[in-house]
Amino acid sequence: MKLAVISCIHGNFEALNAVLSDIDSQKADQIYCLGDLVGYGPHPNEVVEMIRSLDIPTCQGCWDEDIVEGLNACECSYPSQLAEKRSRLAHEWTNQVIKPEVRVALAQLPMSLRQGNLCFVHGSPNSQHEYLLPSMDGFAALERVLSTEADVLFCGHTHVPYVRELENATLKVTVHNPGQSKTQHHFTTPLKRIVNAGSVGEPRHGRPNATYVLYDTETTQVTMREVPYDYQKTCAAIIESGLPAIFAWRLARGMEFAERADDPDHVCQR
Protein backbone atom coordinates (compact mmCIF):
# COMPACT_ATOMS: atom_id res chain seq x y z
CA MET A 1 0.00 0.00 0.00
CA LYS A 2 1.25 3.48 -0.86
CA LEU A 3 0.55 6.12 1.81
CA ALA A 4 0.76 9.89 1.38
CA VAL A 5 1.47 11.88 4.57
CA ILE A 6 0.82 15.62 4.65
CA SER A 7 1.20 18.16 7.45
CA CYS A 8 1.07 21.84 8.41
CA ILE A 9 -1.27 23.17 5.73
CA HIS A 10 -1.86 26.40 7.68
CA GLY A 11 -4.83 27.74 5.74
CA ASN A 12 -3.02 27.62 2.40
CA PHE A 13 -5.73 26.34 0.08
CA GLU A 14 -3.67 26.80 -3.10
CA ALA A 15 -0.86 24.62 -1.75
CA LEU A 16 -3.29 21.95 -0.52
CA ASN A 17 -4.94 21.66 -3.93
CA ALA A 18 -1.57 21.34 -5.64
CA VAL A 19 -0.45 18.61 -3.23
CA LEU A 20 -3.71 16.68 -3.55
CA SER A 21 -3.32 16.79 -7.32
CA ASP A 22 0.25 15.48 -7.04
CA ILE A 23 -0.84 12.71 -4.66
CA ASP A 24 -3.49 11.70 -7.18
CA SER A 25 -0.84 11.51 -9.91
CA GLN A 26 1.30 9.29 -7.66
CA LYS A 27 -1.67 6.94 -7.15
CA ALA A 28 -1.49 6.83 -3.37
CA ASP A 29 -3.95 4.46 -1.73
CA GLN A 30 -4.43 6.43 1.51
CA ILE A 31 -3.70 9.93 2.80
CA TYR A 32 -2.87 10.80 6.42
CA CYS A 33 -2.71 14.38 7.71
CA LEU A 34 -0.61 15.42 10.73
CA GLY A 35 -2.56 18.54 11.61
CA ASP A 36 -2.12 22.31 11.76
CA LEU A 37 -4.88 22.83 9.24
CA VAL A 38 -5.24 26.47 10.31
CA GLY A 39 -3.00 29.37 11.33
CA TYR A 40 -0.88 31.87 9.34
CA GLY A 41 -2.81 31.34 6.07
CA PRO A 42 -5.89 33.11 4.69
CA HIS A 43 -8.20 30.13 4.07
CA PRO A 44 -8.59 28.08 7.29
CA ASN A 45 -12.24 27.15 6.72
CA GLU A 46 -11.68 26.01 3.14
CA VAL A 47 -8.76 23.80 4.17
CA VAL A 48 -10.66 22.08 6.99
CA GLU A 49 -13.71 21.57 4.79
CA MET A 50 -11.57 20.04 2.02
CA ILE A 51 -9.84 17.62 4.42
CA ARG A 52 -13.20 16.61 5.89
CA SER A 53 -14.83 16.18 2.47
CA LEU A 54 -12.10 13.72 1.49
CA ASP A 55 -12.42 11.89 4.82
CA ILE A 56 -8.65 12.08 5.43
CA PRO A 57 -7.58 10.72 8.86
CA THR A 58 -6.07 13.73 10.65
CA CYS A 59 -4.22 14.41 13.91
CA GLN A 60 -4.76 17.59 15.89
CA GLY A 61 -1.95 20.11 15.47
CA CYS A 62 -0.85 22.81 17.91
CA TRP A 63 -2.65 25.56 15.98
CA ASP A 64 -5.80 23.43 15.80
CA GLU A 65 -5.59 22.98 19.58
CA ASP A 66 -5.05 26.69 20.13
CA ILE A 67 -8.13 27.69 18.15
CA VAL A 68 -10.26 25.14 19.99
CA GLU A 69 -8.97 25.98 23.44
CA GLY A 70 -8.60 29.73 22.94
CA LEU A 71 -4.89 29.55 23.67
CA ASN A 72 -1.94 31.36 22.22
CA ALA A 73 0.48 28.60 22.98
CA CYS A 74 4.08 29.04 22.07
CA GLU A 75 5.98 26.81 24.50
CA CYS A 76 8.37 29.76 24.79
CA SER A 77 9.73 28.99 21.34
CA TYR A 78 9.24 32.44 19.83
CA PRO A 79 12.64 33.96 19.12
CA SER A 80 11.56 37.55 19.71
CA GLN A 81 8.80 39.78 21.00
CA LEU A 82 7.95 40.80 17.43
CA ALA A 83 7.52 37.16 16.41
CA GLU A 84 5.33 36.54 19.43
CA LYS A 85 3.19 39.60 18.59
CA ARG A 86 2.75 38.48 14.98
CA SER A 87 1.63 35.06 16.07
CA ARG A 88 -0.84 36.50 18.55
CA LEU A 89 -2.37 38.58 15.74
CA ALA A 90 -2.64 35.47 13.57
CA HIS A 91 -4.32 33.58 16.42
CA GLU A 92 -6.84 36.38 16.90
CA TRP A 93 -7.55 36.68 13.16
CA THR A 94 -8.06 32.93 12.77
CA ASN A 95 -10.22 32.76 15.88
CA GLN A 96 -12.48 35.49 14.45
CA VAL A 97 -13.01 33.99 10.98
CA ILE A 98 -13.31 30.30 11.86
CA LYS A 99 -16.80 28.84 11.41
CA PRO A 100 -18.49 27.20 14.43
CA GLU A 101 -18.72 23.83 12.69
CA VAL A 102 -15.05 24.01 11.74
CA ARG A 103 -14.10 24.70 15.37
CA VAL A 104 -16.11 21.63 16.40
CA ALA A 105 -14.33 19.54 13.77
CA LEU A 106 -10.91 20.67 15.04
CA ALA A 107 -11.91 19.78 18.61
CA GLN A 108 -12.72 16.22 17.58
CA LEU A 109 -9.32 15.49 16.01
CA PRO A 110 -7.26 12.81 17.83
CA MET A 111 -3.75 13.36 19.20
CA SER A 112 -2.36 10.43 17.22
CA LEU A 113 -3.29 7.81 14.64
CA ARG A 114 -2.06 4.25 14.09
CA GLN A 115 -1.87 1.87 11.16
CA GLY A 116 -0.06 -1.36 11.93
CA ASN A 117 3.54 -0.54 12.93
CA LEU A 118 3.13 3.11 11.91
CA CYS A 119 2.27 6.00 14.22
CA PHE A 120 1.20 9.48 13.12
CA VAL A 121 1.47 12.59 15.34
CA HIS A 122 1.80 16.34 14.80
CA GLY A 123 4.75 17.29 17.01
CA SER A 124 5.74 14.29 19.10
CA PRO A 125 3.98 11.53 21.05
CA ASN A 126 4.32 13.81 24.10
CA SER A 127 2.81 17.02 22.76
CA GLN A 128 1.59 18.78 19.63
CA HIS A 129 4.04 21.55 20.57
CA GLU A 130 7.24 19.50 20.90
CA TYR A 131 9.69 19.75 18.00
CA LEU A 132 11.41 16.54 16.89
CA LEU A 133 14.34 18.28 15.23
CA PRO A 134 16.84 16.20 13.25
CA SER A 135 19.52 17.37 15.70
CA MET A 136 17.65 15.95 18.71
CA ASP A 137 19.71 13.73 21.03
CA GLY A 138 19.67 10.16 19.70
CA PHE A 139 18.53 8.57 22.96
CA ALA A 140 15.66 11.06 23.31
CA ALA A 141 14.63 10.54 19.69
CA LEU A 142 14.63 6.76 20.17
CA GLU A 143 12.59 7.14 23.36
CA ARG A 144 9.93 9.07 21.45
CA VAL A 145 9.56 6.27 18.89
CA LEU A 146 9.66 3.46 21.47
CA SER A 147 6.91 5.16 23.50
CA THR A 148 4.54 4.64 20.58
CA GLU A 149 5.42 0.92 20.18
CA ALA A 150 5.67 1.65 16.45
CA ASP A 151 8.56 1.15 14.03
CA VAL A 152 8.01 4.35 12.06
CA LEU A 153 6.94 7.64 13.63
CA PHE A 154 5.55 10.24 11.22
CA CYS A 155 5.57 13.85 12.44
CA GLY A 156 5.44 17.43 11.20
CA HIS A 157 5.55 20.72 13.15
CA THR A 158 9.14 21.69 12.21
CA HIS A 159 8.13 22.55 8.60
CA VAL A 160 11.42 20.99 7.46
CA PRO A 161 11.16 17.50 5.92
CA TYR A 162 13.65 14.79 6.92
CA VAL A 163 14.09 11.06 7.46
CA ARG A 164 16.04 9.93 10.52
CA GLU A 165 17.04 6.30 10.96
CA LEU A 166 17.81 5.03 14.47
CA GLU A 167 20.07 2.04 13.99
CA ASN A 168 20.00 -1.20 15.95
CA ALA A 169 21.22 -0.46 19.44
CA THR A 170 21.63 -2.06 22.84
CA LEU A 171 20.68 0.03 25.85
CA LYS A 172 22.08 -0.92 29.27
CA VAL A 173 20.77 0.32 32.61
CA THR A 174 22.39 -0.48 35.99
CA VAL A 175 20.16 -0.08 39.03
CA HIS A 176 21.71 0.53 42.48
CA ASN A 177 19.51 -0.41 45.45
CA PRO A 178 20.92 0.01 48.98
CA GLY A 179 21.70 -3.35 50.54
CA GLN A 180 21.28 -5.22 47.29
CA SER A 181 23.64 -6.19 44.51
CA LYS A 182 23.63 -4.17 41.33
CA THR A 183 20.99 -5.15 38.82
CA GLN A 184 21.55 -4.66 35.13
CA HIS A 185 18.87 -4.50 32.50
CA HIS A 186 19.57 -4.80 28.78
CA PHE A 187 17.36 -4.51 25.75
CA THR A 188 17.99 -4.26 22.04
CA THR A 189 15.89 -2.18 19.68
CA PRO A 190 15.45 -2.90 15.98
CA LEU A 191 15.74 -0.18 13.36
CA LYS A 192 13.33 2.67 14.02
CA ARG A 193 12.62 5.69 11.87
CA ILE A 194 11.30 9.21 12.26
CA VAL A 195 9.83 10.67 9.07
CA ASN A 196 9.01 14.37 9.04
CA ALA A 197 6.58 15.33 6.26
CA GLY A 198 7.61 19.00 6.19
CA SER A 199 4.86 21.51 5.42
CA VAL A 200 2.25 21.86 2.71
CA GLY A 201 1.37 25.47 3.38
CA GLU A 202 4.29 27.13 5.15
CA PRO A 203 7.57 25.47 4.14
CA ARG A 204 10.82 26.41 5.85
CA HIS A 205 13.34 24.44 3.80
CA GLY A 206 14.47 27.39 1.70
CA ARG A 207 11.98 27.20 -1.17
CA PRO A 208 8.30 28.12 -1.47
CA ASN A 209 7.30 24.66 -2.74
CA ALA A 210 4.93 22.50 -0.71
CA THR A 211 6.33 19.22 0.67
CA TYR A 212 4.90 15.89 1.72
CA VAL A 213 6.05 12.23 1.81
CA LEU A 214 5.04 8.95 0.23
CA TYR A 215 5.55 5.69 2.16
CA ASP A 216 5.37 2.20 0.67
CA THR A 217 4.25 -0.23 3.39
CA GLU A 218 5.62 -3.21 1.44
CA THR A 219 9.14 -1.95 0.71
CA THR A 220 9.27 0.67 3.57
CA GLN A 221 10.62 3.16 1.02
CA VAL A 222 10.15 6.84 1.85
CA THR A 223 9.89 9.35 -1.00
CA MET A 224 10.04 13.06 -0.28
CA ARG A 225 7.86 15.08 -2.65
CA GLU A 226 8.23 18.80 -3.38
CA VAL A 227 5.37 20.45 -5.27
CA PRO A 228 5.51 23.88 -6.97
CA TYR A 229 2.30 25.91 -6.92
CA ASP A 230 1.07 29.48 -7.33
CA TYR A 231 2.34 30.70 -3.95
CA GLN A 232 2.03 34.32 -5.06
CA LYS A 233 -1.74 33.91 -5.08
CA THR A 234 -1.62 32.88 -1.42
CA CYS A 235 0.78 35.73 -0.61
CA ALA A 236 -1.69 38.22 -2.12
CA ALA A 237 -4.56 36.68 -0.13
CA ILE A 238 -2.52 36.96 3.11
CA ILE A 239 -2.02 40.68 2.57
CA GLU A 240 -5.61 41.28 1.47
CA SER A 241 -6.95 39.50 4.57
CA GLY A 242 -5.07 41.82 6.91
CA LEU A 243 -2.71 39.17 8.29
CA PRO A 244 0.88 40.33 8.97
CA ALA A 245 2.58 40.91 5.62
CA ILE A 246 5.71 39.16 6.88
CA PHE A 247 3.80 35.86 6.50
CA ALA A 248 3.69 36.49 2.73
CA TRP A 249 7.37 37.46 2.70
CA ARG A 250 8.51 34.24 4.34
CA LEU A 251 6.10 32.05 2.35
CA ALA A 252 7.64 33.36 -0.87
CA ARG A 253 11.10 32.38 0.40
CA GLY A 254 10.30 29.16 2.21
CA MET A 255 11.90 30.31 5.42
CA GLU A 256 11.04 31.52 8.89
CA PHE A 257 11.75 35.17 9.63
CA ALA A 258 13.16 35.68 13.09
CA GLU A 259 14.92 38.57 14.78
CA ARG A 260 17.18 36.37 16.88
CA ALA A 261 20.16 38.67 16.81
CA ASP A 262 18.13 41.71 17.90
CA ASP A 263 16.48 40.07 20.86
CA PRO A 264 18.44 37.00 21.95
CA ASP A 265 17.25 37.06 25.58
CA HIS A 266 13.54 37.24 24.85
CA VAL A 267 11.34 35.21 27.19
CA CYS A 268 7.87 34.59 25.86
CA GLN A 269 4.96 36.07 27.85
CA ARG A 270 2.15 33.63 27.26
Side-chain angles (χ1 to χ4, degrees):
M1 175 180 285
K2 184 185 290 186
L3 306 180
V5 184
I6 63 177
S7 185
C8 304
I9 304 166
H10 285 300
N12 190 336
F13 197 56
E14 293 296 325
L16 176 60
N17 279 318
V19 165
L20 291 175
S21 178
D22 192 77
I23 290 173
D24 187 57
S25 72
Q26 297 298 312
K27 304 186 184 307
D29 301 295
Q30 173 74 61
I31 305 174
Y32 282 91
C33 179
L34 307 181
D36 266 8
L37 306 182
V38 304
Y40 298 127
H43 300 120
N45 292 308
E46 291 86 344
V47 166
V48 175
E49 288 164 353
M50 174 65 81
I51 294 294
R52 294 188 70 200
S53 70
L54 297 176
D55 200 22
I56 296 173
T58 303
C59 303
Q60 187 183 66
C62 55
W63 269 88
D64 308 324
E65 179 196 27
D66 286 353
I67 295 306
V68 171
E69 302 291 343
L71 303 175
N72 185 20
C74 69
E75 300 293 317
C76 296
S77 61
Y78 289 127
S80 73
Q81 292 171 331
L82 287 175
E84 184 183 344
K85 180 180 179 181
R86 287 197 298 270
S87 185
R88 183 176 293 112
L89 290 173
H91 276 82
E92 292 171 355
W93 183 92
T94 305
N95 192 49
Q96 290 173 358
V97 304
I98 209 81
K99 295 179 180 177
E101 61 270 27
V102 169
R103 195 188 305 275
V104 171
L106 294 176
Q108 295 173 340
L109 296 176
M111 282 281 293
S112 64
L113 294 164
R114 287 295 299 263
Q115 177 177 318
N117 67 336
L118 313 177
C119 181
F120 305 86
V121 300
H122 176 69
S124 87
N126 293 342
S127 167
Q128 296 107 312
H129 297 271
E130 183 179 39
Y131 289 94
L132 295 187
L133 297 169
S135 58
M136 187 180 199
D137 173 78
F139 184 86
L142 183 60
E143 185 275 336
R144 299 299 189 274
V145 185
L146 291 175
S147 69
T148 67
E149 299 183 350
D151 293 326
V152 185
L153 175 62
F154 290 93
C155 63
H157 193 37
T158 70
H159 294 207
V160 178
Y162 71 85
V163 178
R164 183 173 187 178
E165 295 192 345
L166 303 162
E167 302 288 350
N168 288 353
T170 299
L171 302 181
K172 181 172 68 176
V173 178
T174 303
V175 180
H176 296 267
N177 290 322
Q180 300 179 10
S181 60
K182 295 179 181 177
T183 303
Q184 290 191 340
H185 301 277
H186 303 260
F187 72 95
T188 302
T189 66
L191 178 67
K192 304 287 185 181
R193 281 198 282 183
I194 296 176
V195 179
N196 192 303
S199 174
V200 170
E202 217 233 1
R204 295 175 185 169
H205 62 291
R207 293 179 293 279
N209 301 333
T211 66
Y212 75 98
V213 299
L214 294 170
Y215 180 76
D216 190 315
T217 59
E218 301 297 325
T219 66
T220 71
Q221 179 179 354
V222 178
T223 303
M224 314 296 290
R225 298 287 298 174
E226 189 168 330
V227 183
Y229 72 101
D230 188 358
Y231 65 86
Q232 293 182 337
K233 189 172 181 179
T234 300
C235 291
I238 288 172
I239 295 172
E240 290 169 2
S241 67
L243 284 162
I246 193 68
F247 293 168
W249 182 91
R250 67 185 186 185
L251 178 62
R253 291 159 178 78
M255 60 185 292
E256 183 176 19
F257 179 80
E259 307 85 347
R260 298 178 189 278
D262 296 335
D263 196 9
D265 298 324
H266 170 63
V267 177
C268 174
Q269 302 296 321
R270 184 174 173 177

